[in-house]
Amino acid sequence: MESPVFEEFDPASDCDCPGCVHWRRVLPHSRAGRGTAHPAAHRALALAAVASAALGAGHAAPAAAAPPHAPHRPGVPAGEEPDTPQGDRAPLHGPAGRPALPRKPSAITRAEIIDRAETWVAAKVPYSMTAYWSDGYRQDCSGYVSMAWKLPGNEWTGSLAQYADPISKEELQPGDILLFHNAAAPESGSHVTIFGGWTDDTHRHYTAYEQTRPHTRRQSTPYAYWSDSDRYVPYRYKGVTAGEPAPEPGGGKPGAPAATPFPGAAYFGPGAHNKYVTLLGRMLVARGAGASYASGPGPRWTDADRRATRAFQLAQGWTGADADGLPGPRTWELLVTGEGKDVRGGVVGPPPSSHGVPGYPGRAAFRPGADNVYVTRLGRQLVRKGFGRFYAVGPGPRWSEADRRAVEAFQRTQGWRGGAADGYPGPETWRRLFS
């Protein structure tokens, strides 16, 4: 059998796949030019040839096993993990675009920063260190912050700090960032997230907006990040303003909370679905009522919005009809101006009761991505009942596979099988667990 022939190649300069990123670092520059096929294709053919030679003509090479998940990027396969989640400084619209001239940071409000960050979340912009989105910003973590801050060019983790001032954890507000730039080895873990507000009064978790594989996401994240937590530094953009510019003549974009008047009681309550419900939820999360939400605030009015609103009203010392969970002009005024007292102790209000089971908050509190006090309460009770072996750490407020396995084990001790032992607590599971 003839030996396989290996073709030399140069890694493509415009490709951010793990293969090209690796070979650009380890291979010297070739004068022979670049082959027409992607390097990964040559590598795959070479490996196939070697496998065929080893196994013989009548055998096929086994399929490659799926790569493990990267420990510092939850949900990201290790084989797809880039060497660094940040790219070089570049002008808008890519290297071929016109370099932006340095200028004084443009004024922008916190509400506008979050609104801009939300546009990529809604569009599910794919992660890339070399591609540029239609707005001209590079599709990696530092390009995302450059977009949200409306910077004149695409910065990287090594240059973002020049546009900001370091602050303390206690000073963090929506629109600020948490930056880890590894100056000694930028390719080792450097990353940046946008702070969207605390999700609990202990300030252990916050809503993070970040650009990572496979696409932009917004989710509750432990402070300061999943890995290298102690190396992240909070920063505040120098151009951020306290108020919102006046709307443009003829009806411009709605302003930030500080300039948004109370829209009226008709915009809140059962059946409501509008942008003011989302705005209300974000303000309540920022004031410490985030534990009321199983997932982030949205435009549809839910019981979580009512509980969070009532928690804020009770924190002001109000009672009776003044603390009914529906925002009135006074509640709205305190929220948009930042006045009044913050919520302390998470959820305040009547205990939940679903399907006639006291204390049971409903299935939505235990779905993937949930982060709330009920997950913690469930986990602690499972530990008390003897099912703590499934937890490597915790239990905590974020729903995890450890919670699901512990619940499933408890359900099986009840003699349940199949769909009745799926690991997700229903009202009967909750009743028996806490009885």
Side-chain angles (χ1 to χ4, degrees), residues 303-346:
D303 192 54
D305 296 297
R306 184 193 64 80
R307 292 198 304 269
T309 302
R310 186 167 188 268
F312 180 75
Q313 292 169 334
L314 290 173
Q316 312 312 309
W318 304 344
T319 58
D322 293 329
D324 58 0
L326 296 173
R330 181 56 179 162
T331 300
W332 188 266
E333 179 185 0
L334 292 179
L335 287 171
V336 300
T337 59
E339 299 177 355
K341 299 178 180 179
D342 291 344
V343 176
R344 302 294 180 187

Side-chain angles (χ1 to χ4, degrees), residues 383-407:
V383 171
R384 294 190 190 101
K385 292 288 186 177
F387 299 92
R389 66 184 183 278
F390 297 98
Y391 295 96
V393 294
R398 176 176 292 278
W399 178 261
S400 67
E401 178 64 12
D403 295 299
R404 193 199 66 76
R405 292 177 61 195
V407 172

Side-chain angles (χ1 to χ4, degrees), residues 97-271:
R98 279 182 133 183
L101 297 176
R103 64 181 185 183
K104 182 180 179 180
S106 57
I108 189 171
T109 64
R110 298 187 179 282
E112 188 177 358
I113 292 174
I114 297 301
D115 284 343
R116 290 173 67 86
E118 286 280 4
T119 60
W120 277 29
V121 173
K124 295 184 177 179
V125 176
Y127 178 90
S128 174
M129 289 189 292
T130 57
Y132 293 77
W133 195 237
S134 57
D135 53 17
Y137 290 94
R138 191 180 55 243
Q139 295 167 210
D140 63 2
C141 68
S142 45
Y144 182 44
V145 172
S146 299
M147 181 278 299
W149 280 1
K150 203 159 56 175
L151 298 181
N154 285 283
E155 302 300 325
W156 70 301
T157 54
S159 62
L160 277 172
Q162 67 179 318
Y163 291 92
D165 296 313
I167 58 176
S168 66
K169 174 184 177 181
E170 291 70 27
E171 295 176 294
L172 276 168
Q173 296 184 48
D176 297 334
I177 64 170
L178 291 164
L179 174 66
F180 166 37
H181 175 63
N182 191 349
E187 70 280 0
S188 301
S190 299
H191 191 45
V192 61
T193 68
I194 299 174
F195 181 83
W198 298 109
T199 60
D200 57 34
D201 64 306
T202 63
H203 292 187
R204 294 179 180 175
H205 288 76
Y206 69 102
T207 299
Y209 292 83
E210 63 173 324
Q211 181 68 354
T212 187
R213 291 182 185 272
H215 52 69
T216 320
R217 69 182 180 187
R218 177 196 65 214
Q219 68 173 20
S220 179
T221 302
Y223 183 86
Y225 198 65
W226 305 94
S227 60
D228 298 306
S229 180
D230 59 336
R231 305 183 69 179
Y232 280 76
V233 179
Y235 282 94
R236 175 163 299 158
Y237 177 48
K238 293 179 180 179
V240 72
T241 62
E244 179 77 4
E248 298 177 4
K253 183 179 180 180
T260 303
F262 180 60
Y267 284 85
F268 307 100

